[in-house]
Amino acid sequence: MKKSCAFILIAAILIGACIAFAGCTGTASPSASTTTPAAGSPAASGTTTITDGFGRTVTVPAHPTKIVCSGSGCLRYVVYLGAQDTVVGVDSQEKKTQVLEGRAYALANPQFRSLPLSGEMRGKDDPEKIIGIGPQLVFKTGATGTTYGTSGPEADTLQDKTGIPVIAFPYGSLRTDAEKAEFYAALRLMGKILGKDARAEELIAYVEEVTADLEKRTKDIPVDQQKSVYIGGVSSAGAHGIISTEPAYPPFIWVHAKNIAAGSDTQHADISKEIIVSGDPEFLFIDAGTIQIDNEGAIGELKTNPAYAGLSAVKSGNVYGVLPYNFYSVNYETVLADAYFIGKTLYPDRFSDIDPKVKADEIYTKFVGKPVFSSLNGQYRDLGFTKINLTS
């Protein structure tokens, strides 16, 4: 009888201990926490469901700390958002030493050069290299309206080959409302995933503030008093000569100048020499990226081609340099900075409170965290924001 009681007591103690142990390890009956999370909300596994810029539904880590960027300009957006510490691999554009470096984000972040290679520039990814790097997420974009753009199917292919979530989106620009919407959508999409929502909204508000300021200063200038202008040597996937331009060059639009090449929203156009001569602009602006061509590109053409000698801008000395803003896609901070210099040059009374170089560093600091105007301009022999001498 005593042995039986002892056995029962021991059994009871063992059962109680097992129950207590199960409670400590978290084993419990199902609860509301097992409910499937709504799209866009953190899941129990630490993931979230995102709809990317091409309408693809992708499950990504809720708080990614290791990312790779693919395509022209993708890494620039990460820097804009202040998330460069999450980057663990880069494409070949970030690894090579440039003869001339026109990317403010790269000048502000030289550490990118030492990161592992994820593939070639312009979105030519190497899936094996990406797998070897081991990011939690790949962002993929490309220059809107060019052969270097990207698409949903391309993102699917990369995702299938690597087994790593790929978020893709159009890059955008500031040329049209539609492309500006793509720019803002890209910032918000990346901001949401990287936990930088507030920073994305801050930048969008700043762009709106700057462009509104430019327009407010010049919007009441009568049409017959607006200056006629042309920009030549515009960079687009490399350096070009004087006939290379942008019909919808944003700074001209913002400061209400009459672009003699206007007429379409195309990103880039090569116009005829005759259009430049017949348009006879009062002011010529030259993209400093043109000096990469032999004989200084557009500058050399203005010096040596007799067809341009009779231009009003050449005869009056109204030829000025601006910094190239198309360099591995759109450098938004540079096009905004160029706009203030152009506005000051055309309408000095409307910009009397502006020092374009100081304003440029304010803009660069806002976007990439450092005042890199001097470093950037130095890449181009300090031709930006100055009058170009055609006699030497």
Side-chain angles (χ1 to χ4, degrees), residues 82-100:
Q84 52 265 52
D85 290 346
T86 65
V87 179
V88 294
V90 295
D91 68 21
S92 61
Q93 178 69 28
E94 312 302 332
K95 302 285 286 183
K96 64 184 180 182
T97 300
Q98 302 280 137
V99 176
L100 297 175

Side-chain angles (χ1 to χ4, degrees), residues 65-267:
T65 57
K66 297 190 298 180
I67 69 170
V68 161
C69 283
S70 165
S72 304
C74 185
L75 187 55
R76 179 180 293 112
Y77 280 5
V78 175
V79 173
Y80 284 176
L81 292 168
Q84 52 265 52
D85 290 346
T86 65
V87 179
V88 294
V90 295
D91 68 21
S92 61
Q93 178 69 28
E94 312 302 332
K95 302 285 286 183
K96 64 184 180 182
T97 300
Q98 302 280 137
V99 176
L100 297 175
E101 179 56 79
R103 299 168 299 149
Y105 78 87
L107 290 173
N109 292 276
Q111 74 276 10
F112 288 150
R113 287 187 182 179
S114 63
L115 293 177
L117 182 68
S118 61
E120 296 304 306
M121 61 186 293
R122 295 173 180 157
K124 297 176 182 176
D125 309 300
D126 186 324
E128 290 187 5
K129 283 185 170 63
I130 293 174
I131 292 170
I133 294 169
Q136 299 163 292
L137 175 66
V138 177
F139 286 110
K140 186 171 180 61
T141 190
T144 300
T146 73
T147 56
Y148 309 119
T150 191
S151 65
E154 287 183 3
D156 286 336
T157 297
L158 181 60
Q159 185 167 291
D160 290 343
K161 288 182 177 180
T162 61
I164 298 168
V166 177
I167 294 290
F169 51 90
Y171 187 83
S173 81
L174 293 174
R175 288 187 304 270
T176 66
D177 288 342
E179 291 189 359
K180 183 169 73 171
E182 289 178 344
F183 169 39
Y184 290 174
L187 282 177
R188 286 176 170 133
L189 176 65
M190 294 183 80
K192 179 179 182 179
I193 294 170
L194 296 172
K196 300 288 185 178
D197 306 71
R199 172 61 178 167
E201 295 305 325
E202 176 189 348
L203 273 181
I204 290 168
Y206 184 73
V207 172
E208 289 293 307
E209 174 190 327
V210 167
T211 53
D213 179 55
L214 290 163
E215 295 203 15
K216 180 181 67 177
R217 291 171 181 269
T218 57
K219 67 180 181 181
D220 63 340
I221 298 176
V223 174
D224 62 351
Q225 294 179 30
Q226 294 175 4
K227 305 299 184 182
S228 62
V229 293
Y230 175 74
I231 181 163
V234 174
S235 300
S236 180
H240 296 271
I242 195 166
I243 65 171
S244 174
T245 193
E246 283 194 6
Y249 185 57
F252 291 165
I253 296 170
W254 295 328
V255 303
H256 298 88
K258 291 185 287 190
N259 185 354
I260 66 165
S264 74
D265 293 333
T266 53
Q267 178 182 22

Side-chain angles (χ1 to χ4, degrees), residues 34 123 149 192 205 218 220 271 290 311 368:
T34 62
K192 179 179 182 179
T218 57
D220 63 340
I271 66 171
T290 194
L311 291 175
V368 302

